Amino acid sequence: MCSSKGDVIMKEKVYTIEVAGVTRHLPIMQVSPKLAIASFVILGDVEIVNAASSQLVKKMPQVDWLITAEAKGIPLVHQIASLLSMKRYIVARKSIKPYMSTPLISEVNSITTQKKQMLYLDGHDVEIIRGKRVAIVDDVISTGESIAAVEKLVRAAGGIVSAKVAILAEGDAAERDDIIFLEKLPLFPIE
């Protein structure tokens, strides 16, 4: 039996959400001894990526470039770039690649990785975004650590952060006024 938007089916440990007219039943997964989250994974979900991208583009200001952190935001940033007729977008990588020229570095500790990670922006991308309006794109904003790490890279490159965009705002992030998102996603404290 399905529940209405935003309901939790505790017996089955599922959270049901509707985003841009698409319903998903998200498994509730424990990520720490005191916290569980509704697992929202867009990798491979063409329907949710297309529907959410169309709605997000309507809410976004004009930008020159889009950037996301590797890897979960890539399908979303790709579709948004396509809708905006952009020929390219930028990905902050999780490791330095041999082809990178003098990369910028930022540290992140997100709710889903549960450990410190580094993000790297290729020096060629630094030149591209210097002085340009940039939108940071992610699937879910929760603690804001991932967005902050990407924002640090954009600012260090001389780019102008014009928007922070996500499909969902999780927990306290839903109260922020500096992000654009479609729906709220609760956190599930464990007692």
Side-chain angles (χ1 to χ4, degrees), residues 66 77-86 89:
L66 303 172
V77 78
H78 179 92
Q79 183 60 18
I80 291 173
S82 179
L83 292 171
L84 294 174
S85 299
M86 293 181 164
Y89 55 85

Side-chain angles (χ1 to χ4, degrees), residues 32-122:
S32 75
K34 295 186 176 190
L35 184 65
I37 63 171
S39 180
F40 181 73
V41 179
I42 64 170
L43 293 173
D45 193 338
V46 175
E47 183 182 26
I48 198 82
V49 168
N50 288 345
S53 297
S54 295
Q55 295 303 309
L56 286 169
V57 164
K58 293 175 186 176
K59 294 180 157 212
M60 290 175 54
Q62 270 197 321
V63 296
D64 302 307
W65 286 95
L66 303 172
I67 187 170
T68 193
E70 191 175 39
K72 292 190 303 180
I74 293 174
L76 182 64
V77 78
H78 179 92
Q79 183 60 18
I80 291 173
S82 179
L83 292 171
L84 294 174
S85 299
M86 293 181 164
K87 294 181 180 180
R88 186 166 180 240
Y89 55 85
I90 297 168
V91 177
R93 304 295 303 264
K94 290 183 180 176
S95 62
I96 294 178
K97 305 298 179 190
Y99 57 78
M100 289 182 162
S101 165
T102 57
L104 290 178
I105 304 168
S106 184
E107 188 176 283
V108 63
N109 190 9
S110 78
I111 194 170
T112 52
T113 58
Q114 298 181 343
K115 63 180 181 177
K116 288 185 181 179
Q117 287 185 306
M118 305 306 283
L119 288 178
Y120 304 91
L121 185 61
D122 188 345

Side-chain angles (χ1 to χ4, degrees), residues 2-31:
C2 293
S3 63
S4 63
K5 177 181 170 183
D7 287 344
V8 178
I9 306 170
M10 292 309 293
K11 184 176 179 185
E12 300 167 6
K13 296 186 179 179
V14 172
Y15 181 78
T16 300
I17 190 167
E18 183 178 316
V19 179
V22 178
T23 301
R24 290 293 178 263
H25 306 289
L26 310 177
I28 297 175
M29 308 297 293
Q30 188 169 344
V31 294

